[in-house]
């Protein structure tokens, strides 16, 4: 569905400054995949998405989307994709239903089909009662759902979402996700999204592409990324100094730290290392628990930096 090779974008700011926003990204995304592109501010996520949606042209490298080249066949690419950009579009005083219809007409739907499709989408996205409201009167969550409806009006086989849930409260985020996942299940649509929310990428995406400084630094399922790169952390309280050599002997033990009240150690498989620690440490141990890794741990392991600090 998407194939990029050494995709690169430089922005020439002035004679002395060129920003290397995307530095040679090669990526293949198959039909029906749900992929989250994750990375700190300025990593190059939006720039990549804008190249794939034909909004800007690459400096070098190639990209095909739905079988068409993003530069030489931009019009064909656009026909196959939906794009929901960051934030809300221009403030429209149009009615919600009309706005959606107009967007459908722009994509070449006849009046009747546009109306039908817009009614379907308003119902699917819980906006049916709001068809006669002005777009400007919608709440943030409703407006974001309308943005998604607009991205879907021409029934694209591929949907790009740039930070779809930024600024929404947890309930609206969950609600938006429920809609996106349901529509994807119904149409087998490919979905590529960028997000700052680690938990969102972790729970919703089947595949996570981590981008940093314009390059892909990891690409796998969230589970595999966490298992491969981060491991589990065991946090134990008790006689720290005496516990340290025992913890160091656990299978795969690394990053051992003696803390005020005990130790912390990283292992590959926490649930199986914990009983070993309990058995070997006996009375030296007061409490012990396993912390499963997060995608933030993955980013830290890869870059030595914290994703949240950057975003
Ligand atoms: N039109 C532009 N002119 C100059 N520099 C740009 C332009 N657009 C983006 N950049 C720069 O390119 C780099 C990548 O930006 P991009 O918006 O792709 O990052 P991002 O990962 O999407 O960040 P965020 O999470 O903040 O949206 C940044 O350093 C940004 O300042």
């Amino acid at each position: 569905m998407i194939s990029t090779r050494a995709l690169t974008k430089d922005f020439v700011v002035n004679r002395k400054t060129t920003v290397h926003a995307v530095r040679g990204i090669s990526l293949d995304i198959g039909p029906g995949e749900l992929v989250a592109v994750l990375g700190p501010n300025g990593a190059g996520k939006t720039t990549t998405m804008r190249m794939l949606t034909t909004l800007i042209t690459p400096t070098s490298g190639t990209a095909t989307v739905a079988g068409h080249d993003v530069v030489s066949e931009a019009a064909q690419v656009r026909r196959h994709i939906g794009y929901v950009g960051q934030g809300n579009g221009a403030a429209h005083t149009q009615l919600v239903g009309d706005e959606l219809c107009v967007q459908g007409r722009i994509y070449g739907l006849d009046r009747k089909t546009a109306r039908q499709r817009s009614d379907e989408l308003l119902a699917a996205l819980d906006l049916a009662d709001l068809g006669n409201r002005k777009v400007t009167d919608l709440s943030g969550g409703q407006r974001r759902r309308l943005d998604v409806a607009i991205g879907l009006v021409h029934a694209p086989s591929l949907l790009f979402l740039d930070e779809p849930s930024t600024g929404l409260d947890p309930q609206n985020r969950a609600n938006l996700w429920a809609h996106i996942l349901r529509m994807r299940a119904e149409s087998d649509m490919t979905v590529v999204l960028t997000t700052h929310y680690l938990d969102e990428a972790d729970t919703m995406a089947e595949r996570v592409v981590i981008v940093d400084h314009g390059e892909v630094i990891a690409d796998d399922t969230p589970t595999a990324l966490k298992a491969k790169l981060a491991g589990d952390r065991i946090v134990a309280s008790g006689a720290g100094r005496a516990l340290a050599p025992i913890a160091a002997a656990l299978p795969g033990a690394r990053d051992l730290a003696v803390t005020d009240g005990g130790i912390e150690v990283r292992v590959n498989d926490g649930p199986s290392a914990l009983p070993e620690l309990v058995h070997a440490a006996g009375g030296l141990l007061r409490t012990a628990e396993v912390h499963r890794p997060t995608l933030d741990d993955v980013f830290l392991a890869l870059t030595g930096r914290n994703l949240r600090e950057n975003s």
Side-chain angles (χ1 to χ4, degrees), residues 26-244:
S26 298
L27 202 59
D28 289 294
I29 294 176
E33 280 198 83
L34 171 54
V35 180
V37 181
L38 194 69
N41 279 134
K45 305 180 295 292
T46 298
T47 304
T48 303
M49 201 172 257
R50 288 169 68 78
M51 286 192 277
L52 296 179
T53 51
T54 77
L55 293 171
I56 53 174
T57 50
T59 306
S60 62
T62 58
T64 57
V65 173
H68 298 284
D69 186 274
V70 293
V71 179
S72 60
E73 300 172 303
Q76 285 97 316
V77 169
R78 281 187 208 145
R79 261 203 291 280
H80 288 89
I81 63 169
Y83 173 60
V84 180
Q86 274 184 34
N88 294 338
H92 296 290
T93 48
Q94 270 220 89
L95 302 183
V96 169
D98 293 346
E99 168 76 8
L100 204 46
C101 267
V102 167
Q103 295 292 335
R105 300 274 287 146
I106 289 171
Y107 275 102
L109 303 183
D110 63 53
R111 196 178 301 275
K112 189 163 160 246
T113 314
R115 179 57 66 184
Q116 201 178 336
R117 177 84 185 141
S118 106
D119 288 346
E120 279 167 18
L121 282 168
L122 289 178
L125 285 155
D126 251 353
L127 294 166
D129 296 341
L130 305 175
N132 290 323
R133 284 253 197 108
K134 280 186 196 156
V135 174
T136 40
D137 293 344
L138 297 183
S139 73
Q142 291 164 344
R143 179 65 227 242
R144 212 57 190 135
R145 295 209 298 279
L146 176 62
D147 288 340
V148 173
I150 290 170
L152 289 171
V153 75
H154 55 300
S157 48
L158 175 57
L159 181 66
F160 289 95
L161 299 162
D162 199 357
E163 296 189 14
S165 49
T166 294
L168 298 186
D169 61 40
Q171 197 184 341
N172 271 316
R173 275 173 65 190
N175 183 292
L176 179 68
W177 267 105
H179 287 306
I180 292 171
L181 293 179
R182 190 170 39 74
M183 283 190 288
R184 173 180 172 250
E186 282 166 9
S187 65
D188 205 24
M189 188 169 58
T190 309
V191 179
V192 179
L193 65 108
T194 69
T195 182
H196 277 139
Y197 295 112
L198 296 160
D199 55 333
E200 193 167 275
D202 201 344
T203 51
M204 302 299 177
E206 292 146 4
R207 178 174 162 194
V208 174
V209 174
I210 302 182
V211 177
D212 191 34
H213 297 310
E215 289 177 295
V216 173
I217 57 168
D219 177 358
D220 213 326
T221 64
T223 311
L225 284 174
K226 288 184 289 184
K228 251 194 309 207
L229 293 165
D232 295 334
R233 203 157 46 91
I234 293 183
V235 179
S237 68
R241 288 199 187 287
L243 282 173

